[in-house]
Amino acid sequence: MAKDKKMVEDITSMDVDFAQWYTDICKKAELIEYTSVKGCMVIRPYGYAIWEHMQRILDTMFKELGHENVCMPMFIPESLLNKEKDHVEGFAPEVAWVTHGGKEKLEERLCVRPTSETLFCEHYANIIHSYRDLPKLYNQWVSVVRWEKTTRPFLRSREFLWQEGHTIHATAEEAIIETEQMLNVYAKFCEESLAMPVVKGKKTESDKFAGAVSTYAIEALMHDGKALQAGTSHYFGDGFAKAFDITYTDKENKRVYPHQTSWGVTTRLIGAIIMTHGDDSGLVLPPAVAPIQTVIIPIAQHKEGVLEKSAELRDRLAKSFRVKLDDSDNSAGWKFSEYEMKGVPVRLEIGPRDIENNQCVLVTRHDRQKYIVSLDNLEEEIAEKLQMVRDGIYQKALENREKHTYECKTIDEINAKLAENGDGFVKAMWCGDEECEDKVKELTGVGSRCIPAEQDHFSDTCVCCGKKAKHMVYWGKAY
Amino acid sequence: MAKDKKMVEDITSMDVDFAQWYTDICKKAELIEYTSVKGCMVIRPYGYAIWEHMQRILDTMFKELGHENVCMPMFIPESLLNKEKDHVEGFAPEVAWVTHGGKEKLEERLCVRPTSETLFCEHYANIIHSYRDLPKLYNQWVSVVRWEKTTRPFLRSREFLWQEGHTIHATAEEAIIETEQMLNVYAKFCEESLAMPVVKGKKTESDKFAGAVSTYAIEALMHDGKALQAGTSHYFGDGFAKAFDITYTDKENKRVYPHQTSWGVTTRLIGAIIMTHGDDSGLVLPPAVAPIQTVIIPIAQHKEGVLEKSAELRDRLAKSFRVKLDDSDNSAGWKFSEYEMKGVPVRLEIGPRDIENNQCVLVTRHDRQKYIVSLDNLEEEIAEKLQMVRDGIYQKALENREKHTYECKTIDEINAKLAENGDGFVKAMWCGDEECEDKVKELTGVGSRCIPAEQDHFSDTCVCCGKKAKHMVYWGKAY
């Protein structure tokens, strides 16, 4: 029952139907499986391992900056959720409510956390008394629930995994520095570890997190020209502190309100790497988060010595890389397809003649380049090729984004560029009025994504109303 | 505002009120904080860091045995929970029910997972077709919810963190081997990493997991003589497979049912180490899971060179240990108390005279022994002392257990031993009838904990009815 047909036969081409191509990869690469729990999914071992590598890298970055992990309850009493007005308005319509424990009706409904600001605030009020208790730099790795109407694996599901950082500081200045610092951490992680270029910027007023003074985000452009918000960082000022009566005694012995932030990234990042790097053969994984960085495929494995040499190589390489030897009785062709589908960055092929010549064939997933490499310095070769994969897919994603970023001065120009070159980022000037923001979306289909940190004031007038422009804004269709 | 009074003043002595002593430690060592979510708690950074070390060690052990992590939804539809009769009877009375998503009433109620057998079974039915798909060795690190009436931090809370391993195998034999293997993994972890001696055994019929053919457990004896179930491993046979219609095609091309297991440990283990090793000065942590293995306390830190030398030591030791330098302006006495409360295994004191003599004072937490050690080979000294702490607290716990384990041949003897020596493990012979099991509990207060793997057939007759004895059983009062 060895397998030798190609898996890729069943995959929709991304050019034919991008959404179907995406779903096909999620299933065929064994990242997820559907369940009878509507809008929720099983994250399978291969998908979960990607998340574990993301967690490991981010958690190390957080801890190096002094953050500590904690764990809050998964439930929030309704009265606690109601304490901060904007926050409850933003989240109450989409929470799941627990009303019964066993056979008994609860005295007060509990929602399953959609985010945990309220719980952190309650905790801060208990433990913060003096300036000596500040700052608190907390984070938790948990899942949250938001009762979405339409769902898609990783991109939008009723339950998703994330980390939520929550910090509280003596001054507004410190809190703003933290907000910006964590946005930079996310950008660095996306660019270096996920090989995904991002735009850093500030959300407009209409697009802020419920309860925030300001929300910052990183935005990435997917292969189909749509924008994906890949991470957010919020500055809360002292609004939550006032709502939850959190105060501390400062050095002058006065009671004052502290300032807060929160920031998060989710399993959505797995969706982001699928849609940034994938192709019609399947996933293309950035080496830093690839569960298997190098797969060894024996050629003519029934021949004497091939499996032994392959196993020896596996044991040797396992000291430096996440390596797998596939010695199943499936055909080599089947195996090539399988690990292409799974996005393994580097494949090694080793057969009798290779062994004779003390070499193997190395193939890089993203560009299918073949290299004949000596077994003597294989570790160096692989390390170099993994770096080459990361740089290559980053460059390709960057070029795609540049090709699909359109600088426009008028509404007509926006429509023309999108019609001509397909969806992408639109750079256009904006006066700052919400009315114009809405109108741009109505007339062109692209909404504001962010006001980038790097401004490029290429025109003095708003793309919509012609009045004085305040900001250059990235616009796009969003996931 | 430097602190110099002793924290320990506020702690109840374990001999006065063990339950209060336990709660005091949970709060004073900053492991937890209460919340307005009844029966749930915040696990604070110091408590969560202990759990992270437990996770890291266990996760490595699991993966070395071929297990893979996954993530199932946190919700279970009522109809799915109802599929296996014994299972639903065991869990339905204590689950939390989600009835509304946003403003809409759900068509079908969802419970928050109390355990995930039903979700794994649904998934297995989707992905297992042939003998080539077996075994699947899965695990997940999540939280679960059980609507307990009375709760205590770590020991019994409405939400708790755990890992749940779920495996499915071609044959009963393989599944039984897995069940026993994972019990052994837990025992090894508890004994080596937590320095906590455990008894391995099988639960009686009345004490099995809902839906299991057999349940194995490790049982530990706490300082107050009560027993604590520290981990369980269940063999399911093909009962769940039949209820969920999971079949596979075997090598003879027949459709047959696979066999399953599940196994778990929880944040309860944090409670276990508090009650096994703690004393009236606070926590005593096993070095393997201690967030801080060595704390450096500068003496006369205002004197020239003391803080510099302390920081130099910290940087040097950080390469080998989890180390913290406390250079706050609290008094040295306050610091000693604080890190005793937090159970830091090894304390280093370094002052001007120590620096002059190229030495420091090393104090082990569990026995308060002082050593003058040279700075030249400090790493070796600390490594040796950490091992000594682990061995010392293990030995102490073992001696406590032996002192409080009573071999009894009659009900009267049980009552006399408990009255004379306090609570503990009772070893007594049992005929195997549930009636006698209940009667022993009624007459003596101790229930069956497990039928240990290591049998010691010290009498031929049941302690209760006098009929032929089948098993030697450990009995005790349980947390």
PDB file of all heavy atoms in Angstrom, chain B residues 171-195:
ATOM      1  N   THR B 171      -3.812  -2.028  18.823  1.00  0.00           N
ATOM      2  CA  THR B 171      -4.163  -3.157  19.681  1.00  0.00           C
ATOM      3  C   THR B 171      -4.311  -2.749  21.141  1.00  0.00           C
ATOM      4  O   THR B 171      -3.768  -1.731  21.574  1.00  0.00           O
ATOM      5  CB  THR B 171      -3.073  -4.258  19.628  1.00  0.00           C
ATOM      6  OG1 THR B 171      -1.861  -3.708  20.190  1.00  0.00           O
ATOM      7  CG2 THR B 171      -2.803  -4.714  18.201  1.00  0.00           C
ATOM      8  N   ALA B 172      -5.039  -3.566  21.884  1.00  0.00           N
ATOM      9  CA  ALA B 172      -5.196  -3.378  23.318  1.00  0.00           C
ATOM     10  C   ALA B 172      -3.829  -3.415  24.009  1.00  0.00           C
ATOM     11  O   ALA B 172      -3.546  -2.599  24.900  1.00  0.00           O
ATOM     12  CB  ALA B 172      -6.104  -4.461  23.890  1.00  0.00           C
ATOM     13  N   GLU B 173      -2.978  -4.349  23.578  1.00  0.00           N
ATOM     14  CA  GLU B 173      -1.665  -4.500  24.208  1.00  0.00           C
ATOM     15  C   GLU B 173      -0.870  -3.194  24.140  1.00  0.00           C
ATOM     16  O   GLU B 173      -0.307  -2.737  25.133  1.00  0.00           O
ATOM     17  CB  GLU B 173      -0.852  -5.621  23.521  1.00  0.00           C
ATOM     18  CG  GLU B 173      -1.382  -7.026  23.738  1.00  0.00           C
ATOM     19  CD  GLU B 173      -2.750  -7.277  23.084  1.00  0.00           C
ATOM     20  OE1 GLU B 173      -3.024  -6.700  22.004  1.00  0.00           O
ATOM     21  OE2 GLU B 173      -3.574  -8.013  23.674  1.00  0.00           O
ATOM     22  N   GLU B 174      -0.832  -2.625  22.939  1.00  0.00           N
ATOM     23  CA  GLU B 174      -0.086  -1.373  22.761  1.00  0.00           C
ATOM     24  C   GLU B 174      -0.643  -0.265  23.656  1.00  0.00           C
ATOM     25  O   GLU B 174       0.109   0.518  24.228  1.00  0.00           O
ATOM     26  CB  GLU B 174      -0.206  -0.886  21.314  1.00  0.00           C
ATOM     27  CG  GLU B 174       0.837  -1.421  20.377  1.00  0.00           C
ATOM     28  CD  GLU B 174       0.654  -0.818  18.973  1.00  0.00           C
ATOM     29  OE1 GLU B 174       0.482   0.413  18.853  1.00  0.00           O
ATOM     30  OE2 GLU B 174       0.648  -1.600  18.009  1.00  0.00           O
ATOM     31  N   ALA B 175      -1.964  -0.191  23.732  1.00  0.00           N
ATOM     32  CA  ALA B 175      -2.600   0.872  24.534  1.00  0.00           C
ATOM     33  C   ALA B 175      -2.298   0.675  26.016  1.00  0.00           C
ATOM     34  O   ALA B 175      -2.061   1.644  26.750  1.00  0.00           O
ATOM     35  CB  ALA B 175      -4.101   0.901  24.280  1.00  0.00           C
ATOM     36  N   ILE B 176      -2.284  -0.573  26.466  1.00  0.00           N
ATOM     37  CA  ILE B 176      -1.984  -0.845  27.877  1.00  0.00           C
ATOM     38  C   ILE B 176      -0.523  -0.479  28.191  1.00  0.00           C
ATOM     39  O   ILE B 176      -0.231   0.127  29.226  1.00  0.00           O
ATOM     40  CB  ILE B 176      -2.294  -2.318  28.225  1.00  0.00           C
ATOM     41  CG1 ILE B 176      -3.821  -2.521  28.208  1.00  0.00           C
ATOM     42  CG2 ILE B 176      -1.711  -2.705  29.581  1.00  0.00           C
ATOM     43  CD1 ILE B 176      -4.272  -3.970  28.235  1.00  0.00           C
ATOM     44  N   ILE B 177       0.364  -0.811  27.261  1.00  0.00           N
ATOM     45  CA  ILE B 177       1.773  -0.443  27.448  1.00  0.00           C
ATOM     46  C   ILE B 177       1.911   1.076  27.569  1.00  0.00           C
ATOM     47  O   ILE B 177       2.623   1.592  28.432  1.00  0.00           O
ATOM     48  CB  ILE B 177       2.643  -0.991  26.279  1.00  0.00           C
ATOM     49  CG1 ILE B 177       2.776  -2.515  26.408  1.00  0.00           C
ATOM     50  CG2 ILE B 177       4.020  -0.330  26.252  1.00  0.00           C
ATOM     51  CD1 ILE B 177       3.396  -3.205  25.194  1.00  0.00           C
ATOM     52  N   GLU B 178       1.188   1.804  26.702  1.00  0.00           N
ATOM     53  CA  GLU B 178       1.220   3.272  26.752  1.00  0.00           C
ATOM     54  C   GLU B 178       0.706   3.793  28.105  1.00  0.00           C
ATOM     55  O   GLU B 178       1.307   4.683  28.718  1.00  0.00           O
ATOM     56  CB  GLU B 178       0.360   3.850  25.613  1.00  0.00           C
ATOM     57  CG  GLU B 178       0.093   5.354  25.675  1.00  0.00           C
ATOM     58  CD  GLU B 178       1.248   6.214  25.171  1.00  0.00           C
ATOM     59  OE1 GLU B 178       2.215   5.647  24.636  1.00  0.00           O
ATOM     60  OE2 GLU B 178       1.167   7.451  25.325  1.00  0.00           O
ATOM     61  N   THR B 179      -0.415   3.231  28.559  1.00  0.00           N
ATOM     62  CA  THR B 179      -1.004   3.660  29.836  1.00  0.00           C
ATOM     63  C   THR B 179       0.010   3.516  30.972  1.00  0.00           C
ATOM     64  O   THR B 179       0.185   4.428  31.791  1.00  0.00           O
ATOM     65  CB  THR B 179      -2.250   2.803  30.166  1.00  0.00           C
ATOM     66  OG1 THR B 179      -3.092   2.734  29.022  1.00  0.00           O
ATOM     67  CG2 THR B 179      -3.033   3.395  31.328  1.00  0.00           C
ATOM     68  N   GLU B 180       0.680   2.371  30.989  1.00  0.00           N
ATOM     69  CA  GLU B 180       1.660   2.119  32.054  1.00  0.00           C
ATOM     70  C   GLU B 180       2.908   2.970  31.875  1.00  0.00           C
ATOM     71  O   GLU B 180       3.471   3.485  32.850  1.00  0.00           O
ATOM     72  CB  GLU B 180       2.023   0.632  32.087  1.00  0.00           C
ATOM     73  CG  GLU B 180       0.852  -0.210  32.611  1.00  0.00           C
ATOM     74  CD  GLU B 180       1.056  -1.716  32.432  1.00  0.00           C
ATOM     75  OE1 GLU B 180       2.082  -2.123  31.837  1.00  0.00           O
ATOM     76  OE2 GLU B 180       0.163  -2.481  32.872  1.00  0.00           O
ATOM     77  N   GLN B 181       3.331   3.142  30.625  1.00  0.00           N
ATOM     78  CA  GLN B 181       4.506   3.965  30.345  1.00  0.00           C
ATOM     79  C   GLN B 181       4.317   5.386  30.861  1.00  0.00           C
ATOM     80  O   GLN B 181       5.210   5.970  31.477  1.00  0.00           O
ATOM     81  CB  GLN B 181       4.759   3.995  28.833  1.00  0.00           C
ATOM     82  CG  GLN B 181       5.800   5.024  28.410  1.00  0.00           C
ATOM     83  CD  GLN B 181       5.963   5.105  26.901  1.00  0.00           C
ATOM     84  OE1 GLN B 181       6.819   4.444  26.331  1.00  0.00           O
ATOM     85  NE2 GLN B 181       5.124   5.899  26.252  1.00  0.00           N
ATOM     86  N   MET B 182       3.129   5.962  30.619  1.00  0.00           N
ATOM     87  CA  MET B 182       2.915   7.356  31.006  1.00  0.00           C
ATOM     88  C   MET B 182       2.798   7.494  32.525  1.00  0.00           C
ATOM     89  O   MET B 182       3.214   8.505  33.094  1.00  0.00           O
ATOM     90  CB  MET B 182       1.707   7.950  30.275  1.00  0.00           C
ATOM     91  CG  MET B 182       1.869   7.992  28.755  1.00  0.00           C
ATOM     92  SD  MET B 182       3.541   8.442  28.131  1.00  0.00           S
ATOM     93  CE  MET B 182       3.621  10.178  28.628  1.00  0.00           C
ATOM     94  N   LEU B 183       2.255   6.466  33.185  1.00  0.00           N
ATOM     95  CA  LEU B 183       2.255   6.479  34.648  1.00  0.00           C
ATOM     96  C   LEU B 183       3.701   6.512  35.157  1.00  0.00           C
ATOM     97  O   LEU B 183       4.027   7.242  36.103  1.00  0.00           O
ATOM     98  CB  LEU B 183       1.514   5.264  35.200  1.00  0.00           C
ATOM     99  CG  LEU B 183       1.225   5.351  36.697  1.00  0.00           C
ATOM    100  CD1 LEU B 183       0.046   6.286  36.959  1.00  0.00           C
ATOM    101  CD2 LEU B 183       0.952   3.983  37.303  1.00  0.00           C
ATOM    102  N   ASN B 184       4.542   5.730  34.506  1.00  0.00           N
ATOM    103  CA  ASN B 184       5.955   5.707  34.899  1.00  0.00           C
ATOM    104  C   ASN B 184       6.650   7.041  34.637  1.00  0.00           C
ATOM    105  O   ASN B 184       7.503   7.471  35.410  1.00  0.00           O
ATOM    106  CB  ASN B 184       6.691   4.577  34.172  1.00  0.00           C
ATOM    107  CG  ASN B 184       6.296   3.206  34.707  1.00  0.00           C
ATOM    108  OD1 ASN B 184       5.935   3.081  35.881  1.00  0.00           O
ATOM    109  ND2 ASN B 184       6.332   2.197  33.858  1.00  0.00           N
ATOM    110  N   VAL B 185       6.282   7.701  33.529  1.00  0.00           N
ATOM    111  CA  VAL B 185       6.838   9.024  33.234  1.00  0.00           C
ATOM    112  C   VAL B 185       6.469   9.996  34.358  1.00  0.00           C
ATOM    113  O   VAL B 185       7.310  10.739  34.867  1.00  0.00           O
ATOM    114  CB  VAL B 185       6.318   9.548  31.874  1.00  0.00           C
ATOM    115  CG1 VAL B 185       6.568  11.053  31.722  1.00  0.00           C
ATOM    116  CG2 VAL B 185       6.979   8.790  30.722  1.00  0.00           C
ATOM    117  N   TYR B 186       5.201   9.967  34.760  1.00  0.00           N
ATOM    118  CA  TYR B 186       4.754  10.859  35.839  1.00  0.00           C
ATOM    119  C   TYR B 186       5.500  10.570  37.146  1.00  0.00           C
ATOM    120  O   TYR B 186       5.901  11.485  37.868  1.00  0.00           O
ATOM    121  CB  TYR B 186       3.250  10.697  36.081  1.00  0.00           C
ATOM    122  CG  TYR B 186       2.363  11.255  34.987  1.00  0.00           C
ATOM    123  CD1 TYR B 186       1.082  10.759  34.789  1.00  0.00           C
ATOM    124  CD2 TYR B 186       2.795  12.288  34.159  1.00  0.00           C
ATOM    125  CE1 TYR B 186       0.247  11.276  33.801  1.00  0.00           C
ATOM    126  CE2 TYR B 186       1.979  12.802  33.174  1.00  0.00           C
ATOM    127  CZ  TYR B 186       0.705  12.298  32.994  1.00  0.00           C
ATOM    128  OH  TYR B 186      -0.116  12.805  32.028  1.00  0.00           O
ATOM    129  N   ALA B 187       5.651   9.278  37.450  1.00  0.00           N
ATOM    130  CA  ALA B 187       6.322   8.908  38.699  1.00  0.00           C
ATOM    131  C   ALA B 187       7.767   9.383  38.688  1.00  0.00           C
ATOM    132  O   ALA B 187       8.264   9.961  39.668  1.00  0.00           O
ATOM    133  CB  ALA B 187       6.245   7.398  38.905  1.00  0.00           C
ATOM    134  N   LYS B 188       8.433   9.172  37.561  1.00  0.00           N
ATOM    135  CA  LYS B 188       9.829   9.606  37.419  1.00  0.00           C
ATOM    136  C   LYS B 188       9.930  11.128  37.580  1.00  0.00           C
ATOM    137  O   LYS B 188      10.807  11.640  38.278  1.00  0.00           O
ATOM    138  CB  LYS B 188      10.329   9.178  36.036  1.00  0.00           C
ATOM    139  CG  LYS B 188      11.796   9.433  35.746  1.00  0.00           C
ATOM    140  CD  LYS B 188      12.134   8.885  34.354  1.00  0.00           C
ATOM    141  CE  LYS B 188      13.292   9.618  33.728  1.00  0.00           C
ATOM    142  NZ  LYS B 188      14.585   9.021  33.912  1.00  0.00           N
ATOM    143  N   PHE B 189       9.022  11.843  36.925  1.00  0.00           N
ATOM    144  CA  PHE B 189       9.019  13.307  37.021  1.00  0.00           C
ATOM    145  C   PHE B 189       8.821  13.756  38.468  1.00  0.00           C
ATOM    146  O   PHE B 189       9.536  14.624  38.972  1.00  0.00           O
ATOM    147  CB  PHE B 189       7.924  13.887  36.117  1.00  0.00           C
ATOM    148  CG  PHE B 189       7.692  15.357  36.327  1.00  0.00           C
ATOM    149  CD1 PHE B 189       8.623  16.285  35.880  1.00  0.00           C
ATOM    150  CD2 PHE B 189       6.557  15.815  36.979  1.00  0.00           C
ATOM    151  CE1 PHE B 189       8.423  17.646  36.073  1.00  0.00           C
ATOM    152  CE2 PHE B 189       6.351  17.171  37.176  1.00  0.00           C
ATOM    153  CZ  PHE B 189       7.286  18.092  36.728  1.00  0.00           C
ATOM    154  N   CYS B 190       7.843  13.169  39.140  1.00  0.00           N
ATOM    155  CA  CYS B 190       7.564  13.571  40.534  1.00  0.00           C
ATOM    156  C   CYS B 190       8.744  13.269  41.439  1.00  0.00           C
ATOM    157  O   CYS B 190       9.112  14.088  42.282  1.00  0.00           O
ATOM    158  CB  CYS B 190       6.306  12.877  41.051  1.00  0.00           C
ATOM    159  SG  CYS B 190       4.798  13.572  40.356  1.00  0.00           S
ATOM    160  N   GLU B 191       9.325  12.100  41.272  1.00  0.00           N
ATOM    161  CA  GLU B 191      10.408  11.719  42.173  1.00  0.00           C
ATOM    162  C   GLU B 191      11.689  12.492  41.869  1.00  0.00           C
ATOM    163  O   GLU B 191      12.323  13.023  42.778  1.00  0.00           O
ATOM    164  CB  GLU B 191      10.641  10.207  42.103  1.00  0.00           C
ATOM    165  CG  GLU B 191       9.339   9.434  42.385  1.00  0.00           C
ATOM    166  CD  GLU B 191       9.506   8.210  43.276  1.00  0.00           C
ATOM    167  OE1 GLU B 191      10.572   7.595  43.220  1.00  0.00           O
ATOM    168  OE2 GLU B 191       8.552   7.892  44.024  1.00  0.00           O
ATOM    169  N   GLU B 192      12.054  12.584  40.584  1.00  0.00           N
ATOM    170  CA  GLU B 192      13.324  13.241  40.252  1.00  0.00           C
ATOM    171  C   GLU B 192      13.212  14.764  40.271  1.00  0.00           C
ATOM    172  O   GLU B 192      14.018  15.436  40.900  1.00  0.00           O
ATOM    173  CB  GLU B 192      13.824  12.772  38.884  1.00  0.00           C
ATOM    174  CG  GLU B 192      14.279  11.318  38.926  1.00  0.00           C
ATOM    175  CD  GLU B 192      14.817  10.809  37.599  1.00  0.00           C
ATOM    176  OE1 GLU B 192      14.898  11.596  36.635  1.00  0.00           O
ATOM    177  OE2 GLU B 192      15.124   9.594  37.523  1.00  0.00           O
ATOM    178  N   SER B 193      12.207  15.296  39.578  1.00  0.00           N
ATOM    179  CA  SER B 193      12.162  16.752  39.414  1.00  0.00           C
ATOM    180  C   SER B 193      11.454  17.449  40.572  1.00  0.00           C
ATOM    181  O   SER B 193      11.787  18.577  40.916  1.00  0.00           O
ATOM    182  CB  SER B 193      11.474  17.120  38.103  1.00  0.00           C
ATOM    183  OG  SER B 193      12.180  16.566  37.010  1.00  0.00           O
ATOM    184  N   LEU B 194      10.438  16.798  41.145  1.00  0.00           N
ATOM    185  CA  LEU B 194       9.717  17.436  42.257  1.00  0.00           C
ATOM    186  C   LEU B 194      10.165  16.904  43.615  1.00  0.00           C
ATOM    187  O   LEU B 194       9.673  17.348  44.650  1.00  0.00           O
ATOM    188  CB  LEU B 194       8.198  17.239  42.087  1.00  0.00           C
ATOM    189  CG  LEU B 194       7.595  17.700  40.760  1.00  0.00           C
ATOM    190  CD1 LEU B 194       6.073  17.586  40.805  1.00  0.00           C
ATOM    191  CD2 LEU B 194       7.998  19.131  40.425  1.00  0.00           C
ATOM    192  N   ALA B 195      11.079  15.926  43.613  1.00  0.00           N
ATOM    193  CA  ALA B 195      11.594  15.339  44.859  1.00  0.00           C
ATOM    194  C   ALA B 195      10.462  14.820  45.733  1.00  0.00           C
ATOM    195  O   ALA B 195      10.525  14.884  46.963  1.00  0.00           O
ATOM    196  CB  ALA B 195      12.448  16.360  45.613  1.00  0.00           C
TER     197      ALA B 195
END
